[in-house]
mmCIF file with all atom_site columns, all heavy atoms in Angstrom:
data_model
loop_
_atom_site.group_PDB
_atom_site.id
_atom_site.type_symbol
_atom_site.label_atom_id
_atom_site.label_alt_id
_atom_site.label_comp_id
_atom_site.label_asym_id
_atom_site.label_entity_id
_atom_site.label_seq_id
_atom_site.pdbx_PDB_ins_code
_atom_site.Cartn_x
_atom_site.Cartn_y
_atom_site.Cartn_z
_atom_site.occupancy
_atom_site.B_iso_or_equiv
_atom_site.pdbx_formal_charge
_atom_site.auth_seq_id
_atom_site.auth_comp_id
_atom_site.auth_asym_id
_atom_site.auth_atom_id
_atom_site.pdbx_PDB_model_num
ATOM 1   N N   . ILE A 1 1  ? 39.371 140.390 141.396 1.00 0.00 ? 1  ILE A N   1
ATOM 2   C CA  . ILE A 1 1  ? 40.669 140.246 140.749 1.00 0.00 ? 1  ILE A CA  1
ATOM 3   C C   . ILE A 1 1  ? 41.130 141.610 140.247 1.00 0.00 ? 1  ILE A C   1
ATOM 4   O O   . ILE A 1 1  ? 40.337 142.390 139.707 1.00 0.00 ? 1  ILE A O   1
ATOM 5   C CB  . ILE A 1 1  ? 40.616 139.199 139.596 1.00 0.00 ? 1  ILE A CB  1
ATOM 6   C CG1 . ILE A 1 1  ? 42.021 138.914 139.049 1.00 0.00 ? 1  ILE A CG1 1
ATOM 7   C CG2 . ILE A 1 1  ? 39.670 139.621 138.499 1.00 0.00 ? 1  ILE A CG2 1
ATOM 8   C CD1 . ILE A 1 1  ? 42.055 137.664 138.169 1.00 0.00 ? 1  ILE A CD1 1
ATOM 9   N N   . ALA A 1 2  ? 42.414 141.901 140.435 1.00 0.00 ? 2  ALA A N   1
ATOM 10  C CA  . ALA A 1 2  ? 42.976 143.161 139.995 1.00 0.00 ? 2  ALA A CA  1
ATOM 11  C C   . ALA A 1 2  ? 43.013 143.250 138.464 1.00 0.00 ? 2  ALA A C   1
ATOM 12  O O   . ALA A 1 2  ? 42.921 142.231 137.779 1.00 0.00 ? 2  ALA A O   1
ATOM 13  C CB  . ALA A 1 2  ? 44.377 143.319 140.557 1.00 0.00 ? 2  ALA A CB  1
ATOM 14  N N   . GLY A 1 3  ? 43.179 144.469 137.957 1.00 0.00 ? 3  GLY A N   1
ATOM 15  C CA  . GLY A 1 3  ? 43.218 144.681 136.525 1.00 0.00 ? 3  GLY A CA  1
ATOM 16  C C   . GLY A 1 3  ? 44.284 143.871 135.802 1.00 0.00 ? 3  GLY A C   1
ATOM 17  O O   . GLY A 1 3  ? 44.083 143.373 134.695 1.00 0.00 ? 3  GLY A O   1
ATOM 18  N N   . SER A 1 4  ? 45.425 143.714 136.442 1.00 0.00 ? 4  SER A N   1
ATOM 19  C CA  . SER A 1 4  ? 46.528 142.939 135.874 1.00 0.00 ? 4  SER A CA  1
ATOM 20  C C   . SER A 1 4  ? 46.333 141.440 136.036 1.00 0.00 ? 4  SER A C   1
ATOM 21  O O   . SER A 1 4  ? 47.034 140.647 135.402 1.00 0.00 ? 4  SER A O   1
ATOM 22  C CB  . SER A 1 4  ? 47.825 143.339 136.567 1.00 0.00 ? 4  SER A CB  1
ATOM 23  O OG  . SER A 1 4  ? 47.786 142.965 137.933 1.00 0.00 ? 4  SER A OG  1
ATOM 24  N N   . GLY A 1 5  ? 45.422 141.060 136.922 1.00 0.00 ? 5  GLY A N   1
ATOM 25  C CA  . GLY A 1 5  ? 45.234 139.658 137.245 1.00 0.00 ? 5  GLY A CA  1
ATOM 26  C C   . GLY A 1 5  ? 46.206 139.152 138.301 1.00 0.00 ? 5  GLY A C   1
ATOM 27  O O   . GLY A 1 5  ? 46.161 137.993 138.681 1.00 0.00 ? 5  GLY A O   1
ATOM 28  N N   . GLY A 1 6  ? 47.066 140.026 138.797 1.00 0.00 ? 6  GLY A N   1
ATOM 29  C CA  . GLY A 1 6  ? 48.106 139.611 139.711 1.00 0.00 ? 6  GLY A CA  1
ATOM 30  C C   . GLY A 1 6  ? 47.695 139.481 141.158 1.00 0.00 ? 6  GLY A C   1
ATOM 31  O O   . GLY A 1 6  ? 48.468 139.003 141.986 1.00 0.00 ? 6  GLY A O   1
ATOM 32  N N   . SER A 1 7  ? 46.486 139.906 141.489 1.00 0.00 ? 7  SER A N   1
ATOM 33  C CA  . SER A 1 7  ? 46.004 139.830 142.862 1.00 0.00 ? 7  SER A CA  1
ATOM 34  C C   . SER A 1 7  ? 44.546 139.417 142.871 1.00 0.00 ? 7  SER A C   1
ATOM 35  O O   . SER A 1 7  ? 43.765 139.863 142.027 1.00 0.00 ? 7  SER A O   1
ATOM 36  C CB  . SER A 1 7  ? 46.168 141.178 143.545 1.00 0.00 ? 7  SER A CB  1
ATOM 37  O OG  . SER A 1 7  ? 45.756 141.129 144.887 1.00 0.00 ? 7  SER A OG  1
ATOM 38  N N   . THR A 1 8  ? 44.193 138.555 143.804 1.00 0.00 ? 8  THR A N   1
ATOM 39  C CA  . THR A 1 8  ? 42.813 138.096 143.939 1.00 0.00 ? 8  THR A CA  1
ATOM 40  C C   . THR A 1 8  ? 42.407 138.114 145.405 1.00 0.00 ? 8  THR A C   1
ATOM 41  O O   . THR A 1 8  ? 43.238 138.130 146.302 1.00 0.00 ? 8  THR A O   1
ATOM 42  C CB  . THR A 1 8  ? 42.618 136.680 143.382 1.00 0.00 ? 8  THR A CB  1
ATOM 43  O OG1 . THR A 1 8  ? 43.491 135.778 144.101 1.00 0.00 ? 8  THR A OG1 1
ATOM 44  C CG2 . THR A 1 8  ? 42.928 136.602 141.895 1.00 0.00 ? 8  THR A CG2 1
ATOM 45  N N   . SER A 1 9  ? 41.091 138.099 145.607 1.00 0.00 ? 9  SER A N   1
ATOM 46  C CA  . SER A 1 9  ? 40.551 138.028 146.957 1.00 0.00 ? 9  SER A CA  1
ATOM 47  C C   . SER A 1 9  ? 39.221 137.285 146.898 1.00 0.00 ? 9  SER A C   1
ATOM 48  O O   . SER A 1 9  ? 38.504 137.397 145.897 1.00 0.00 ? 9  SER A O   1
ATOM 49  C CB  . SER A 1 9  ? 40.360 139.427 147.533 1.00 0.00 ? 9  SER A CB  1
ATOM 50  O OG  . SER A 1 9  ? 39.886 139.380 148.861 1.00 0.00 ? 9  SER A OG  1
ATOM 51  N N   . TYR A 1 10 ? 38.904 136.556 147.982 1.00 0.00 ? 10 TYR A N   1
ATOM 52  C CA  . TYR A 1 10 ? 37.691 135.735 148.002 1.00 0.00 ? 10 TYR A CA  1
ATOM 53  C C   . TYR A 1 10 ? 36.926 135.924 149.298 1.00 0.00 ? 10 TYR A C   1
ATOM 54  O O   . TYR A 1 10 ? 37.523 136.181 150.344 1.00 0.00 ? 10 TYR A O   1
ATOM 55  C CB  . TYR A 1 10 ? 38.047 134.250 147.864 1.00 0.00 ? 10 TYR A CB  1
ATOM 56  C CG  . TYR A 1 10 ? 38.711 133.897 146.571 1.00 0.00 ? 10 TYR A CG  1
ATOM 57  C CD1 . TYR A 1 10 ? 40.086 133.931 146.446 1.00 0.00 ? 10 TYR A CD1 1
ATOM 58  C CD2 . TYR A 1 10 ? 37.953 133.531 145.462 1.00 0.00 ? 10 TYR A CD2 1
ATOM 59  C CE1 . TYR A 1 10 ? 40.712 133.635 145.248 1.00 0.00 ? 10 TYR A CE1 1
ATOM 60  C CE2 . TYR A 1 10 ? 38.558 133.207 144.251 1.00 0.00 ? 10 TYR A CE2 1
ATOM 61  C CZ  . TYR A 1 10 ? 39.950 133.264 144.149 1.00 0.00 ? 10 TYR A CZ  1
ATOM 62  O OH  . TYR A 1 10 ? 40.554 132.948 142.960 1.00 0.00 ? 10 TYR A OH  1
ATOM 63  N N   . ALA A 1 11 ? 35.634 135.750 149.205 1.00 0.00 ? 11 ALA A N   1
ATOM 64  C CA  . ALA A 1 11 ? 34.835 135.660 150.406 1.00 0.00 ? 11 ALA A CA  1
ATOM 65  C C   . ALA A 1 11 ? 35.224 134.379 151.143 1.00 0.00 ? 11 ALA A C   1
ATOM 66  O O   . ALA A 1 11 ? 35.576 133.373 150.516 1.00 0.00 ? 11 ALA A O   1
ATOM 67  C CB  . ALA A 1 11 ? 33.344 135.633 150.058 1.00 0.00 ? 11 ALA A CB  1
ATOM 68  N N   . LYS A 1 12 ? 35.127 134.428 152.454 1.00 0.00 ? 12 LYS A N   1
ATOM 69  C CA  . LYS A 1 12 ? 35.577 133.307 153.269 1.00 0.00 ? 12 LYS A CA  1
ATOM 70  C C   . LYS A 1 12 ? 34.893 131.997 152.894 1.00 0.00 ? 12 LYS A C   1
ATOM 71  O O   . LYS A 1 12 ? 35.533 130.941 152.811 1.00 0.00 ? 12 LYS A O   1
ATOM 72  C CB  . LYS A 1 12 ? 35.332 133.642 154.753 1.00 0.00 ? 12 LYS A CB  1
ATOM 73  C CG  . LYS A 1 12 ? 36.000 132.688 155.720 1.00 0.00 ? 12 LYS A CG  1
ATOM 74  C CD  . LYS A 1 12 ? 35.811 133.183 157.147 1.00 0.00 ? 12 LYS A CD  1
ATOM 75  C CE  . LYS A 1 12 ? 36.519 132.280 158.147 1.00 0.00 ? 12 LYS A CE  1
ATOM 76  N NZ  . LYS A 1 12 ? 36.349 132.752 159.548 1.00 0.00 ? 12 LYS A NZ  1
ATOM 77  N N   . SER A 1 13 ? 33.592 132.058 152.627 1.00 0.00 ? 13 SER A N   1
ATOM 78  C CA  . SER A 1 13 ? 32.835 130.833 152.372 1.00 0.00 ? 13 SER A CA  1
ATOM 79  C C   . SER A 1 13 ? 33.145 130.233 151.015 1.00 0.00 ? 13 SER A C   1
ATOM 80  O O   . SER A 1 13 ? 32.781 129.091 150.737 1.00 0.00 ? 13 SER A O   1
ATOM 81  C CB  . SER A 1 13 ? 31.336 131.123 152.469 1.00 0.00 ? 13 SER A CB  1
ATOM 82  O OG  . SER A 1 13 ? 30.952 132.065 151.481 1.00 0.00 ? 13 SER A OG  1
ATOM 83  N N   . MET A 1 14 ? 33.824 130.970 150.157 1.00 0.00 ? 14 MET A N   1
ATOM 84  C CA  . MET A 1 14 ? 34.095 130.507 148.804 1.00 0.00 ? 14 MET A CA  1
ATOM 85  C C   . MET A 1 14 ? 35.571 130.209 148.569 1.00 0.00 ? 14 MET A C   1
ATOM 86  O O   . MET A 1 14 ? 35.909 129.554 147.580 1.00 0.00 ? 14 MET A O   1
ATOM 87  C CB  . MET A 1 14 ? 33.605 131.537 147.806 1.00 0.00 ? 14 MET A CB  1
ATOM 88  C CG  . MET A 1 14 ? 32.098 131.737 147.905 1.00 0.00 ? 14 MET A CG  1
ATOM 89  S SD  . MET A 1 14 ? 31.542 133.295 147.245 1.00 0.00 ? 14 MET A SD  1
ATOM 90  C CE  . MET A 1 14 ? 30.179 133.673 148.326 1.00 0.00 ? 14 MET A CE  1
ATOM 91  N N   . LYS A 1 15 ? 36.419 130.662 149.462 1.00 0.00 ? 15 LYS A N   1
ATOM 92  C CA  . LYS A 1 15 ? 37.851 130.442 149.298 1.00 0.00 ? 15 LYS A CA  1
ATOM 93  C C   . LYS A 1 15 ? 38.151 128.957 149.309 1.00 0.00 ? 15 LYS A C   1
ATOM 94  O O   . LYS A 1 15 ? 37.645 128.213 150.156 1.00 0.00 ? 15 LYS A O   1
ATOM 95  C CB  . LYS A 1 15 ? 38.613 131.162 150.405 1.00 0.00 ? 15 LYS A CB  1
ATOM 96  C CG  . LYS A 1 15 ? 40.088 131.293 150.135 1.00 0.00 ? 15 LYS A CG  1
ATOM 97  C CD  . LYS A 1 15 ? 40.735 132.222 151.126 1.00 0.00 ? 15 LYS A CD  1
ATOM 98  C CE  . LYS A 1 15 ? 42.202 132.451 150.782 1.00 0.00 ? 15 LYS A CE  1
ATOM 99  N NZ  . LYS A 1 15 ? 42.855 133.388 151.721 1.00 0.00 ? 15 LYS A NZ  1
ATOM 100 N N   . GLY A 1 16 ? 38.939 128.508 148.345 1.00 0.00 ? 16 GLY A N   1
ATOM 101 C CA  . GLY A 1 16 ? 39.273 127.103 148.233 1.00 0.00 ? 16 GLY A CA  1
ATOM 102 C C   . GLY A 1 16 ? 38.335 126.331 147.325 1.00 0.00 ? 16 GLY A C   1
ATOM 103 O O   . GLY A 1 16 ? 38.666 125.227 146.880 1.00 0.00 ? 16 GLY A O   1
ATOM 104 N N   . ARG A 1 17 ? 37.164 126.890 147.041 1.00 0.00 ? 17 ARG A N   1
ATOM 105 C CA  . ARG A 1 17 ? 36.210 126.228 146.135 1.00 0.00 ? 17 ARG A CA  1
ATOM 106 C C   . ARG A 1 17 ? 36.050 127.015 144.837 1.00 0.00 ? 17 ARG A C   1
ATOM 107 O O   . ARG A 1 17 ? 35.810 126.406 143.788 1.00 0.00 ? 17 ARG A O   1
ATOM 108 C CB  . ARG A 1 17 ? 34.844 126.094 146.803 1.00 0.00 ? 17 ARG A CB  1
ATOM 109 C CG  . ARG A 1 17 ? 34.828 125.272 148.068 1.00 0.00 ? 17 ARG A CG  1
ATOM 110 C CD  . ARG A 1 17 ? 33.398 124.993 148.532 1.00 0.00 ? 17 ARG A CD  1
ATOM 111 N NE  . ARG A 1 17 ? 32.657 126.235 148.812 1.00 0.00 ? 17 ARG A NE  1
ATOM 112 C CZ  . ARG A 1 17 ? 31.503 126.548 148.227 1.00 0.00 ? 17 ARG A CZ  1
ATOM 113 N NH1 . ARG A 1 17 ? 30.962 125.756 147.330 1.00 0.00 ? 17 ARG A NH1 1
ATOM 114 N NH2 . ARG A 1 17 ? 30.885 127.678 148.580 1.00 0.00 ? 17 ARG A NH2 1
ATOM 115 N N   . PHE A 1 18 ? 36.143 128.344 144.909 1.00 0.00 ? 18 PHE A N   1
ATOM 116 C CA  . PHE A 1 18 ? 35.974 129.198 143.745 1.00 0.00 ? 18 PHE A CA  1
ATOM 117 C C   . PHE A 1 18 ? 37.322 129.777 143.337 1.00 0.00 ? 18 PHE A C   1
ATOM 118 O O   . PHE A 1 18 ? 38.171 130.076 144.184 1.00 0.00 ? 18 PHE A O   1
ATOM 119 C CB  . PHE A 1 18 ? 35.033 130.365 144.056 1.00 0.00 ? 18 PHE A CB  1
ATOM 120 C CG  . PHE A 1 18 ? 33.580 129.984 144.250 1.00 0.00 ? 18 PHE A CG  1
ATOM 121 C CD1 . PHE A 1 18 ? 33.182 128.660 144.351 1.00 0.00 ? 18 PHE A CD1 1
ATOM 122 C CD2 . PHE A 1 18 ? 32.613 130.965 144.337 1.00 0.00 ? 18 PHE A CD2 1
ATOM 123 C CE1 . PHE A 1 18 ? 31.846 128.311 144.533 1.00 0.00 ? 18 PHE A CE1 1
ATOM 124 C CE2 . PHE A 1 18 ? 31.272 130.633 144.514 1.00 0.00 ? 18 PHE A CE2 1
ATOM 125 C CZ  . PHE A 1 18 ? 30.890 129.311 144.618 1.00 0.00 ? 18 PHE A CZ  1
ATOM 126 N N   . THR A 1 19 ? 37.502 129.953 142.023 1.00 0.00 ? 19 THR A N   1
ATOM 127 C CA  . THR A 1 19 ? 38.725 130.558 141.499 1.00 0.00 ? 19 THR A CA  1
ATOM 128 C C   . THR A 1 19 ? 38.371 131.602 140.462 1.00 0.00 ? 19 THR A C   1
ATOM 129 O O   . THR A 1 19 ? 37.679 131.292 139.475 1.00 0.00 ? 19 THR A O   1
ATOM 130 C CB  . THR A 1 19 ? 39.646 129.513 140.854 1.00 0.00 ? 19 THR A CB  1
ATOM 131 O OG1 . THR A 1 19 ? 39.953 128.487 141.809 1.00 0.00 ? 19 THR A OG1 1
ATOM 132 C CG2 . THR A 1 19 ? 40.951 130.154 140.389 1.00 0.00 ? 19 THR A CG2 1
ATOM 133 N N   . ILE A 1 20 ? 38.809 132.834 140.693 1.00 0.00 ? 20 ILE A N   1
ATOM 134 C CA  . ILE A 1 20 ? 38.570 133.907 139.733 1.00 0.00 ? 20 ILE A CA  1
ATOM 135 C C   . ILE A 1 20 ? 39.832 134.068 138.881 1.00 0.00 ? 20 ILE A C   1
ATOM 136 O O   . ILE A 1 20 ? 40.956 133.958 139.383 1.00 0.00 ? 20 ILE A O   1
ATOM 137 C CB  . ILE A 1 20 ? 38.209 135.228 140.450 1.00 0.00 ? 20 ILE A CB  1
ATOM 138 C CG1 . ILE A 1 20 ? 37.733 136.281 139.438 1.00 0.00 ? 20 ILE A CG1 1
ATOM 139 C CG2 . ILE A 1 20 ? 39.335 135.735 141.327 1.00 0.00 ? 20 ILE A CG2 1
ATOM 140 C CD1 . ILE A 1 20 ? 37.134 137.538 140.097 1.00 0.00 ? 20 ILE A CD1 1
ATOM 141 N N   . SER A 1 21 ? 39.627 134.311 137.600 1.00 0.00 ? 21 SER A N   1
ATOM 142 C CA  . SER A 1 21 ? 40.743 134.538 136.689 1.00 0.00 ? 21 SER A CA  1
ATOM 143 C C   . SER A 1 21 ? 40.280 135.468 135.591 1.00 0.00 ? 21 SER A C   1
ATOM 144 O O   . SER A 1 21 ? 39.078 135.741 135.447 1.00 0.00 ? 21 SER A O   1
ATOM 145 C CB  . SER A 1 21 ? 41.254 133.219 136.106 1.00 0.00 ? 21 SER A CB  1
ATOM 146 O OG  . SER A 1 21 ? 40.245 132.579 135.356 1.00 0.00 ? 21 SER A OG  1
ATOM 147 N N   . ARG A 1 22 ? 41.213 135.969 134.809 1.00 0.00 ? 22 ARG A N   1
ATOM 148 C CA  . ARG A 1 22 ? 40.852 136.853 133.708 1.00 0.00 ? 22 ARG A CA  1
ATOM 149 C C   . ARG A 1 22 ? 41.814 136.658 132.560 1.00 0.00 ? 22 ARG A C   1
ATOM 150 O O   . ARG A 1 22 ? 42.973 136.282 132.751 1.00 0.00 ? 22 ARG A O   1
ATOM 151 C CB  . ARG A 1 22 ? 40.829 138.308 134.165 1.00 0.00 ? 22 ARG A CB  1
ATOM 152 C CG  . ARG A 1 22 ? 42.165 138.884 134.568 1.00 0.00 ? 22 ARG A CG  1
ATOM 153 C CD  . ARG A 1 22 ? 41.985 140.245 135.262 1.00 0.00 ? 22 ARG A CD  1
ATOM 154 N NE  . ARG A 1 22 ? 41.464 141.259 134.339 1.00 0.00 ? 22 ARG A NE  1
ATOM 155 C CZ  . ARG A 1 22 ? 40.860 142.373 134.733 1.00 0.00 ? 22 ARG A CZ  1
ATOM 156 N NH1 . ARG A 1 22 ? 40.712 142.623 136.035 1.00 0.00 ? 22 ARG A NH1 1
ATOM 157 N NH2 . ARG A 1 22 ? 40.435 143.251 133.840 1.00 0.00 ? 22 ARG A NH2 1
ATOM 158 N N   . ASP A 1 23 ? 41.292 136.924 131.356 1.00 0.00 ? 23 ASP A N   1
ATOM 159 C CA  . ASP A 1 23 ? 42.092 136.914 130.141 1.00 0.00 ? 23 ASP A CA  1
ATOM 160 C C   . ASP A 1 23 ? 41.920 138.299 129.534 1.00 0.00 ? 23 ASP A C   1
ATOM 161 O O   . ASP A 1 23 ? 40.901 138.570 128.888 1.00 0.00 ? 23 ASP A O   1
ATOM 162 C CB  . ASP A 1 23 ? 41.608 135.807 129.192 1.00 0.00 ? 23 ASP A CB  1
ATOM 163 C CG  . ASP A 1 23 ? 42.465 135.687 127.951 1.00 0.00 ? 23 ASP A CG  1
ATOM 164 O OD1 . ASP A 1 23 ? 43.133 136.664 127.579 1.00 0.00 ? 23 ASP A OD1 1
ATOM 165 O OD2 . ASP A 1 23 ? 42.453 134.609 127.338 1.00 0.00 ? 23 ASP A OD2 1
ATOM 166 N N   . ASN A 1 24 ? 42.886 139.170 129.741 1.00 0.00 ? 24 ASN A N   1
ATOM 167 C CA  . ASN A 1 24 ? 42.747 140.543 129.274 1.00 0.00 ? 24 ASN A CA  1
ATOM 168 C C   . ASN A 1 24 ? 42.744 140.633 127.749 1.00 0.00 ? 24 ASN A C   1
ATOM 169 O O   . ASN A 1 24 ? 42.143 141.550 127.185 1.00 0.00 ? 24 ASN A O   1
ATOM 170 C CB  . ASN A 1 24 ? 43.830 141.416 129.867 1.00 0.00 ? 24 ASN A CB  1
ATOM 171 C CG  . ASN A 1 24 ? 43.566 141.743 131.340 1.00 0.00 ? 24 ASN A CG  1
ATOM 172 O OD1 . ASN A 1 24 ? 42.452 141.554 131.831 1.00 0.00 ? 24 ASN A OD1 1
ATOM 173 N ND2 . ASN A 1 24 ? 44.580 142.208 132.038 1.00 0.00 ? 24 ASN A ND2 1
#
């Protein structure tokens, strides 16, 4: 996840099951 939280990326096997987020 980007510093702003505005962009994320996932490994193929985890996309759709895992969600990354942040509270700055």
Side-chain angles (χ1 to χ4, degrees):
I1 188 166
S4 65
S7 182
T8 59
S9 182
Y10 297 90
K12 191 174 183 180
S13 63
M14 298 159 214
K15 195 169 185 179
R17 300 189 300 124
F18 290 10
T19 303
I20 190 170
S21 62
R22 65 191 294 160
D23 184 337
N24 285 345

